[in-house]
Amino acid sequence: MSESDGGWSDEDALEAPSFIHKCVIIADHIPPTNDELTLIRDDLIYVFKTSVPGKPGYWEGETKGVLGIFPKDKVKIVVE
């Protein structure tokens, strides 16, 4: 560490979690509660889990820096 790097080192860096799927949102979703993500059509979402205990049909992922659950029927997997 040195003064020029602000006291940070590469050892302090966190690894980004790896995602299972990269998806495009195919339909808006305004959730009825705060425990679900708001989805906006044509945005990207990165899926980390394809099952959520107690919520069949829901996946867990991140869009616009927010992590949460969402209905899987609102997204389409992007194949690259």
Side-chain angles (χ1 to χ4, degrees):
M1 269 190 280
S2 70
E3 291 298 317
S4 64
D5 65 12
W8 290 94
S9 72
D10 288 340
E11 294 173 8
D12 297 329
L14 296 174
E15 272 192 49
S18 44
F19 57 88
I20 299 169
H21 302 295
K22 177 179 168 182
C23 298
V24 65
I25 298 167
I26 57 172
D28 291 348
H29 173 68
I30 307 302
T33 64
N34 288 337
D35 66 339
E36 296 178 25
L37 289 174
T38 297
L39 304 179
I40 306 299
R41 187 173 180 218
D42 295 329
D43 281 352
L44 290 177
I45 189 162
Y46 296 89
V47 178
F48 298 110
K49 293 181 183 174
T50 54
S51 65
V52 176
K55 293 285 250 181
Y58 277 73
W59 287 354
E60 181 179 271
E62 177 268 325
T63 185
K64 296 188 177 189
V66 180
L67 181 69
I69 63 171
F70 61 93
K72 69 179 184 179
D73 64 342
K74 302 289 184 179
V75 302
K76 178 180 175 186
I77 296 173
V78 175
V79 178
E80 293 185 355

